[in-house]
Amino acid sequence: MRINRGFLNLQDSYLFSRIAEKVTEYQKQNPEKEIIRLGIGDVTLPLAPAVIEAMQQAVSEMGSAHTFRGYGEEQGYAFLRRAVCGYYASKGVELEADEVFISDGAKSDLGNIPDVFAVENTVLVPDPVYPVYLDTNVMAGRSIIFSKGSIENGFLPLPEPGLHADLVYLCSPNNPTGAVYTKEQLKAWVDWALDHDAVIIFDSAYEAFVQDQELPTSIYQIEGAKSCAIEFCSLSKTAGFTGIRCGYTVVPQELVRDHVSVNRLWLRRQTTKFNGVSYIVQRGAEAVFTEDGLRQTQESINYYRENARLIADTLAELGLWFTGGTNAPYIWLQCPNHMSSWEFFDLLLERYGIVGTPGSGFGENGEGFFRLTAFGRREEILKAMDRLRKMPL
Ligand code: MLT
């Protein structure tokens, strides 16, 4: 009997679990210290009234024999898939409902999508980036190469001459750097993928934070992308669903590799291994895409944007280099005084009672950088910024 040895090649624990453990330990030793958490990107505002109303209505339906529902369709109820298509249409992207798959959030589908691709494929992962892309492929034992983000390329790496990879992960607006690809830059990736028969795994979980009209919010706004890209999105950050759990994945019918429809494989995978998201949650998700839902969720996004601006202004006052925060809820800064990411983490926690995320947790190229999230409560953000302003540099 053999275990999957890919797991032994992973770091001991998942980044956010390691941070949580460190903070819990610190809090145990220092129970009087007030800690402000700007680490994991978890939302703090309540759900929109339109969502609550829809979910309450759905709960009532489940309590009556006439409207009760058991198993739903594995790929999601048609009403929600149609609502997602409507949202895409508002961005100028035409989709069919059978190209949309409802999930319990982008993380699961991002982790599961490699199931439909051979283990022999080479995977290109940006560095730094959300750790799920790397870890799931390490678990599977795939060969992994990295595209390197840096201050010089604005943490937006592009395909380099001679690059060979089969699966390419992109995240824009980016987690952790907050950087956003322009249409021209995304086109460079799409053209490269079409030329190389590669597939782009595009994570657009933070698309709702883009305010610059010129920036893309879906890879399908780029010509040719439907033949080479799968897009993953989530209502976690858009509508405060981190605890409710609902997202969607788009697998276009045009996407064919090895003479096989990838949509058909994903449907087969989902119908076998997934039983769908609860009816109540899907009704809540549907409400996000109504006029009221979109307006109400936009109010929360604006609140987080203002938090991001407050953080960015403080860092500018301190003279620290940073990116992100304008079209994304993350601010990515360079640690002061050549500190390593974990040294800065310890300093912020122990001296200022602030928890952030060490950049090195997102990859080697994140060393010397640090991520702050704008998802906190306003009063906490203000308090944290007051504390930061006292930092001697
Ligand atoms: C993050 O902090 O990077 C995210 O909240 C993690 C996630 O979305 O799973």
Side-chain angles (χ1 to χ4, degrees), residues 280-297:
I280 298 159
V281 166
Q282 291 195 57
R283 280 293 184 200
E286 181 192 26
V288 171
F289 300 107
T290 60
E291 210 179 309
D292 281 350
L294 287 170
R295 185 178 34 76
Q296 291 163 1
T297 51

Side-chain angles (χ1 to χ4, degrees), residues 124 145 158-165 192 196:
L124 180 75
I145 55 173
L158 290 171
E160 290 188 353
L163 169 67
H164 173 77
W192 175 87
H196 291 79

Side-chain angles (χ1 to χ4, degrees), residues 14-16 38-43 106-108 110 129-132 175-176 203 205-206 234 236-237 242 245 330 357 362 371 373 375:
Y14 182 59
L15 173 64
F16 295 106
L38 306 181
I40 191 162
D42 199 1
V43 291
K107 183 182 187 174
S108 318
L110 282 161
V129 90
Y130 183 43
V132 173
N175 179 10
D203 182 353
Y206 300 94
S234 157
S236 284
K237 316 299 158 85
T242 53
R245 310 303 314 148
Y330 295 125
T357 310
F362 298 101
R371 191 192 79 174
T373 152
F375 286 118

Side-chain angles (χ1 to χ4, degrees), residues 15-291:
L15 173 64
F16 295 106
S17 316
R18 182 168 170 209
I19 294 171
E21 270 164 32
K22 259 183 108 101
V23 176
T24 307
E25 186 52 38
Y26 178 79
Q27 197 132 54
K28 224 191 277 165
Q29 310 291 332
N30 304 272
E32 75 299 340
K33 253 296 195 13
E34 186 208 16
I35 308 276
I36 301 177
R37 290 163 202 271
L38 306 181
I40 191 162
D42 199 1
V43 291
T44 49
L45 292 177
L47 295 170
V51 172
I52 295 294
E53 205 182 301
M55 286 173 67
Q56 279 170 340
Q57 166 72 33
V59 169
S60 301
E61 285 175 40
M62 293 302 251
S64 154
H66 298 296
T67 46
F68 171 79
R69 300 190 188 218
Y71 288 123
E73 291 169 60
E74 293 89 344
Q75 63 271 46
Y77 284 104
F79 63 77
L80 180 53
R81 289 187 283 127
R82 280 196 299 266
V84 172
C85 291
Y87 183 58
Y88 272 88
S90 73
K91 302 167 178 233
V93 174
E94 293 306 322
L95 293 178
E96 296 298 328
D98 65 1
E99 296 176 303
V100 177
F101 294 80
I102 305 305
S103 69
D104 64 347
K107 183 182 187 174
S108 318
D109 277 7
L110 282 161
N112 292 329
I113 194 73
D115 275 13
V116 301
F117 299 106
V119 101
E120 292 75 24
N121 288 310
T122 297
V123 180
L124 180 75
V125 177
D127 176 358
V129 90
Y130 183 43
V132 173
Y133 317 153
L134 176 66
D135 286 3
T136 47
N137 283 292
V138 170
M139 287 173 187
R142 283 202 182 78
S143 134
I144 299 162
I145 55 173
F146 296 94
S147 56
K148 304 210 186 305
S150 62
I151 291 183
E152 289 68 37
N153 63 19
F155 288 94
L156 292 167
L158 290 171
E160 290 188 353
L163 169 67
H164 173 77
D166 305 298
L167 284 175
V168 175
Y169 286 80
L170 297 178
C171 177
S172 179
N174 189 266
N175 179 10
T177 68
V180 188
Y181 279 113
T182 61
K183 284 191 178 147
E184 293 67 34
Q185 289 170 323
L186 269 194
K187 184 169 181 336
W189 277 114
V190 167
D191 290 348
W192 175 87
L194 291 170
D195 281 353
H196 291 79
D197 203 33
V199 172
I200 296 173
I201 309 287
F202 190 76
D203 182 353
S204 67
Y206 300 94
E207 55 86 30
F209 286 82
V210 172
Q211 28 188 353
D212 182 340
Q213 303 280 317
E214 295 301 310
L215 292 172
T217 55
S218 163
I219 195 160
Y220 303 124
Q221 290 165 334
I222 311 301
E223 205 188 326
K226 282 190 180 171
S227 305
C228 68
I230 304 175
E231 183 160 295
F232 300 78
C233 200
S234 157
L235 296 181
S236 284
K237 316 299 158 85
T238 307
F241 271 49
T242 53
I244 297 285
R245 310 303 314 148
C246 195
Y248 47 91
T249 295
V250 178
V251 190
Q253 293 292 0
E254 280 102 311
L255 184 60
V256 173
R257 286 295 178 275
D258 218 355
H259 311 287
V260 179
S261 152
V262 176
N263 179 293
R264 190 159 67 77
L265 294 187
W266 183 243
L267 178 65
R268 188 68 179 83
R269 191 260 173 223
Q270 289 300 81
T271 47
T272 305
K273 294 197 183 183
F274 187 54
N275 252 342
V277 177
S278 85
Y279 174 68
I280 298 159
V281 166
Q282 291 195 57
R283 280 293 184 200
E286 181 192 26
V288 171
F289 300 107
T290 60
E291 210 179 309

